Amino acid sequence: MKRYVMALDQGTTSSRAILFDRSGAVVAVDQHEFTQHFPHSGWVEHDPQEIWDSQLRAARGVLQAAGATGDDVAAIGITNQRETALVWERASGAPIHRAIVWQSRQTAPICDELRSRGLESEVRARTGLVIDAYFSATKIRFILDAVDGAQLRAERGELAFGTVDSWLLHKLTAGRLHATEYSNVSRTLLYNIHELEWDELLLGELQIPHSLLPEVRDTSGVFATTDPSWFGAEIPIAGVAGDQQAALFGQGCTAPGLAKNTYGTGCFLLSNTGGEAPLSETGLITTLAWGIDGRVDYALEGSIFVAGSAVQWLRDGLGLVETAADSHAMASRVEDTGGVYLVPAFVGLGAPYWDEAARGVMVGITRGTTRDHMVRATLESIAFQTRDVVECVQSDSGGALESLRVDGGAAQNDFLMQFQADCLGIPVERPDVLEATAFGAAALAGLSVGFWSDRSEVESAARRLRVFEPQMSSDRRDDLYGGWKRAVERSRDWHRG
Ligand code: ADP
C-alpha cells in the first residue's frame, strides 16, 4: 500500500520536497537553498545543475526523514518557479547557459525592440500577457544570442528549451521526456492561450525555432515514471503546475470567482475565471490556470513585486524590527498610522500600474510619527496593493469577490490579515497549513493516480480555516484607500534614466 504523495517545490531561492499522507497532512519536509548569480545589476541567473542537485537532495532527504523509500510513494507532483528559462543539448542533456530567472531584467532591451515593432496588442490578444522581461520568450532569445552557434544548433534540432518544470521532468526521466503543461506554458509569451497552440507569429518575431519547444500536456495526469536510479522505484510523475497556479488549486479555488492571494516576497493574486479568458482592461494578465481531463481553466492574475520584502527592508535596511513577526505587535500598538503611507515601489510598480520608473515614498510624516507608525504603514501598504488588484479583478470579471483565500509567509501576520479584511470589506480566509503551493501539486498528482478519489477527501484536512471578518466602517475604509491612491501618485514616474 502506497502511503504518500511527494510534492517537489522548486522555488526561486530553494528546492523543497514535502510528503503528504492520505489525510492531506504534511509528514516531512526537506529543503535546500542554492546559489543566486547576479552577473550584472538587475540580472539574476541560476545554475541548472544546482537546481537539479538541490531538488534531488530534498527528495531523497524527505524520504529519509520519514523513514520511507520510493516504494511508499504513490505519485510525485511538481510545482516550480515560473517563467525561468533554460536551454540544453538534446544529445547530452547539458545546459548551454545558466537559467535566466523570472526576476531578471537583462532582456529589457529585447522587450523595447518588440514594443517598437508595435507588438503589444498582438501579444496581449494571443498570450494574455504584457511585453515584459518577466516572461520566458525574450530569455530564450537572449540565450540563443549569447552562446556561439546556438541559433544554428537550435534550427538543426539539437537543443531543447524548457521552463523549470520541463527541466525537472527531463532529469527525473533521465532524458526520456521533453514536456511541459498548460500553467507553465502560458507564461512563455509564445503560447496562444485561446487556440492552445504555440504562436507562429511570436515564434517568428523572436526567431525561435519550433524544434526547441516541449510537448504541452494536461496539468494533472501521468507524465512519465521516474528513472529507477533516483529513488529505487519507478514513481509516476502525475501532476505539474507553476507555483501560483498550484497554490490556486491547493486553496480549492477551482470554480469561477474564487480567488487566492499569496503573500511572499511579492504578492500574487489569482482569480479563477473558469472556461472564460477575459482580456484585462485594468492592467492584470490572463493566464491558464490548468488543463485537466482535456479542459482548460483560466485565471486573472495581479503580480505585486514588493510585499513581504518590504518587511525584510524594515528589518535589514532600517533596523526598525528585529524579526518580521515583530511587525505584528508594533503595528498593533498604535490606533492608525497617524496619516503616514508607504508606497514600496522599490523596483517600480507591478500590477496594475506597470510603472518601471516609480520609486518608493513615505508621505504624511509629522513630528508625531513614530517607528510603530512606519511599521504599520508598511504592513498596510501590502493590503492596499492587494486592494488595487482586487478592484481590477472585480472590474475585469464583472463580479464582486465574496472572500479572499490567503497563504504565504506574510499571511501569518494577524494584524495584516485583519487589516486586509477591513481594507477590502470582505472576509479573508487563512488555512492553518500555509503549504498551499506544495499541497496543490500533491493534490494534482494524487487525484490523477487515484490516491485520493476526489478533493473532498483531502479538503477538510487542508482547509481548517481562520476567518478574518471585516470590522471597519465603509466610510473609514474609503477614506484610508483614498489616501493610498494619493500616495501612489506621489511615487509615480520618479526615476529618470
Ligand atoms: P517566498 O516564497 O517569496 O520566499 P515566503 O512565503 O517564504 O516567501 O514568505 C517570506 C516573506 O514573508 C518574507 O519577505 C518575510 O519578510 C515575510 N514574512 C514572514 N513572516 C512574516 C510576518 N509574521 N509578518 C510579516 N511578514 C512576514
Side-chain angles (χ1 to χ4, degrees):
M1 178 88 156
K2 309 282 186 192
R3 291 188 287 166
Y4 307 123
V5 170
M6 187 195 295
L8 302 182
D9 181 358
Q10 205 303 303
T12 308
T13 57
S14 73
S15 300
R16 305 200 306 150
I18 301 184
L19 283 183
F20 292 91
D21 68 13
R22 272 179 201 277
S23 74
V26 173
V27 175
V29 182
D30 195 30
Q31 174 163 6
H32 298 284
E33 290 196 3
F34 55 88
T35 318
Q36 308 290 314
H37 295 273
F38 305 107
H40 297 284
S41 160
W43 297 30
V44 191
E45 298 180 351
H46 291 159
D47 175 353
Q49 190 61 38
E50 224 190 324
I51 291 181
W52 166 243
D53 289 343
S54 58
Q55 190 61 76
L56 180 63
R57 229 171 114 208
R60 287 177 167 163
V62 81
L63 288 175
Q64 199 175 15
T69 70
D71 286 320
D72 295 312
V73 180
I76 287 178
I78 296 175
T79 180
N80 57 286
Q81 53 166 321
R82 306 177 300 172
E83 298 100 12
T84 297
L86 297 91
V87 177
W88 63 89
E89 289 181 353
R90 285 187 186 276
S92 67
I96 66 163
H97 192 276
R98 282 204 289 240
I100 301 185
V101 177
W102 59 273
Q103 295 157 313
S104 190
R105 307 312 297 174
Q106 73 210 69
T107 62
I110 307 177
C111 294
D112 291 340
E113 164 66 22
L114 292 177
R115 273 188 224 104
S116 75
R117 286 188 228 158
L119 285 168
E120 193 91 54
S121 61
E122 287 292 355
V123 164
R124 262 194 107 56
R126 291 157 189 262
T127 67
L129 308 176
V130 295
I131 296 177
D132 193 280
Y134 175 31
F135 304 106
S136 316
T138 57
K139 302 179 195 289
I140 306 175
R141 184 66 260 148
F142 183 96
I143 294 175
L144 295 182
D145 287 337
V147 180
D148 265 357
Q151 180 69 25
L152 205 63
R153 297 188 67 198
E155 282 163 13
R156 283 202 224 113
E158 294 173 17
L159 302 179
F161 151 74
T163 38
V164 170
D165 55 314
S166 299
W167 174 241
L168 295 181
L169 284 170
H170 167 83
K171 285 299 203 183
L172 286 165
T173 61
R176 277 184 289 121
L177 184 67
H178 183 212
T180 184
E181 53 68 54
Y182 289 115
S183 72
N184 274 292
V185 81
S186 70
R187 322 294 299 186
T188 59
L189 206 127
L190 295 172
Y191 198 73
N192 187 313
I193 60 168
H194 312 286
E195 305 296 330
L196 301 182
E197 59 191 23
W198 293 103
D199 192 275
E200 295 303 332
L201 173 83
L202 298 174
L203 288 170
E205 288 288 342
L206 282 154
Q207 288 183 282
I208 293 174
H210 243 280
S211 57
L212 266 181
L213 306 173
E215 173 194 342
V216 182
R217 300 238 186 133
D218 264 1
T219 303
S220 186
V222 176
F223 285 70
T225 54
T226 56
D227 191 79
S229 61
W230 303 130
F231 309 114
E234 297 191 3
I235 307 172
I237 306 162
V240 179
D243 51 11
Q244 299 306 326
Q245 286 95 329
L248 189 69
F249 194 81
Q251 285 271 24
C253 298
T254 50
L258 296 179
K260 70 89 197 174
N261 196 19
T262 301
Y263 298 76
T265 306
C267 270
F268 293 88
L269 192 146
L270 272 73
S271 175
N272 188 316
T273 59
E276 303 289 318
L279 191 64
S280 172
E281 297 190 352
T282 58
L284 303 179
I285 58 182
T286 313
T287 200
L288 284 163
W290 44 68
I292 298 176
D293 295 333
R295 180 209 134 131
V296 298
D297 281 341
Y298 296 87
L300 281 167
E301 173 171 330
S303 328
I304 296 164
F305 295 147
V306 174
S309 58
V311 181
Q312 278 170 340
W313 170 72
L314 289 180
R315 188 192 60 191
D316 305 336
L318 299 188
L320 285 189
V321 299
E322 221 162 280
T323 67
D326 290 347
S327 61
H328 163 78
M330 291 174 71
S332 308
R333 274 206 297 252
V334 283
E335 289 273 290
D336 53 36
T337 66
V340 172
Y341 288 89
L342 170 74
V343 183
F346 304 154
V347 292
L349 286 168
Y353 306 101
W354 298 104
D355 183 349
E356 288 180 341
R359 286 297 178 272
V361 293
M362 192 175 271
V363 292
I365 301 169
T366 65
R367 184 62 185 82
T369 300
T370 66
R371 280 194 318 169
D372 293 346
H373 291 127
M374 290 185 178
V375 170
R376 184 171 172 126
T378 303
L379 293 178
E380 289 191 358
S381 77
I382 300 173
F384 287 131
Q385 292 186 94
T386 298
R387 172 149 173 196
D388 286 339
V389 168
V390 165
E391 301 243 315
C392 296
V393 166
Q394 297 189 148
S395 147
D396 284 338
S397 62
L401 283 188
E402 280 172 22
S403 65
L404 183 66
R405 299 180 182 184
V406 300
D407 56 85
Q412 294 167 73
N413 190 304
D414 289 351
F415 168 82
L416 174 58
M417 293 300 104
Q418 183 57 51
F419 189 78
Q420 187 69 82
D422 288 340
C423 168
L424 292 173
I426 57 174
V428 165
E429 302 177 348
R430 183 178 68 188
D432 59 357
V433 179
L434 290 173
E435 298 285 1
T437 305
F439 176 68
L444 286 162
L447 288 167
S448 93
V449 296
F451 183 78
W452 293 301
S453 55
D454 67 77
R455 279 198 70 95
S456 59
E457 256 187 80
V458 276
E459 207 123 87
S460 54
R463 304 206 54 241
R464 262 189 306 268
L465 291 177
R466 166 145 182 213
V467 181
F468 296 84
E469 295 287 348
Q471 288 165 356
M472 190 180 279
S473 73
S474 60
D475 281 353
R476 180 153 168 70
R477 171 183 313 136
D478 291 344
D479 256 15
L480 288 176
Y481 187 60
W484 163 255
K485 297 298 267 186
R486 290 204 299 137
V488 168
E489 283 315 308
R490 299 290 192 279
S491 79
R492 302 291 303 267
D493 195 27
W494 181 257
H495 180 70
R496 296 270 154 78

